[in-house]
Amino acid sequence: MLTIEITSFSFKKGYPEDKSGNGGGFVFDCRALPNPGRYEEYKQVNGTQQVVQDFFKPYKECDVFLSNIINITSPSIEKYIERDFTHLMINFGCTGGQHRSVYFAEKTAEYIKEHYPVKVVVNHREQNIYKEL
């Protein structure tokens, strides 16, 4: 079965390591998107929390970004399943690895789990959150 490892991270702390030996996968840079981390009320929360998710809702560019991620990754996921590959990484980086990268990792994981018969592992590296869906 294909395992898709989705990681959020801070560019300041380097790219996520590919422990599978396959040599990586996708890396998406979220730093051009609106940053809730610039506002005091978001400093102690992260992209898994509803208040941060609500922050992104009025920004159309966030919807476009997520749609583009799905359009870019879906053909690879389908081909990996077809070819019986076992591992694919999808990584999201931002400045601190707390808001934007976490949010887009979560939304991508939800979409993939809903649409494909795969194991999804989410690792919010800077938040010390690891979960299997």
Side-chain angles (χ1 to χ4, degrees), residues 19-133:
K19 295 177 184 173
S20 75
N22 288 338
F26 295 97
V27 178
F28 296 102
D29 187 342
C30 303
R31 292 176 291 184
L33 298 167
N35 184 3
R38 293 181 175 206
Y39 303 98
E40 192 60 41
E41 63 266 33
Y42 297 101
K43 298 235 186 246
Q44 301 304 315
V45 293
N46 67 54
T48 65
Q49 295 165 303
Q50 191 63 49
V51 66
V52 175
Q53 294 175 16
D54 291 343
F55 172 89
F56 292 112
K57 284 183 183 176
Y59 294 101
K60 201 69 172 160
E61 64 258 46
C62 292
D63 292 335
V64 171
F65 187 76
L66 183 59
S67 178
N68 287 337
I69 289 163
I70 290 165
N71 289 334
I72 290 169
T73 59
S74 290
S76 290
I77 293 168
E78 292 162 11
K79 191 57 77 173
Y80 276 41
I81 291 169
E82 179 184 312
R83 294 181 63 194
D84 293 323
F85 286 9
T86 59
H87 190 263
L88 174 64
M89 286 181 70
I90 303 174
N91 304 292
F92 295 88
C94 65
T95 305
Q98 181 176 342
H99 301 102
R100 294 169 290 183
S101 62
V102 171
Y103 172 81
F104 287 100
E106 286 287 318
K107 293 301 177 191
T108 302
E110 289 171 12
Y111 177 86
I112 291 170
K113 192 61 182 172
E114 204 173 292
H115 290 87
Y116 296 102
V118 298
K119 177 180 174 184
V120 177
V121 175
V122 180
N123 179 15
H124 299 304
R125 189 178 74 183
E126 309 337 330
Q127 303 301 305
N128 294 314
I129 299 171
Y130 181 89
K131 60 186 177 182
E132 294 183 17
L133 304 182

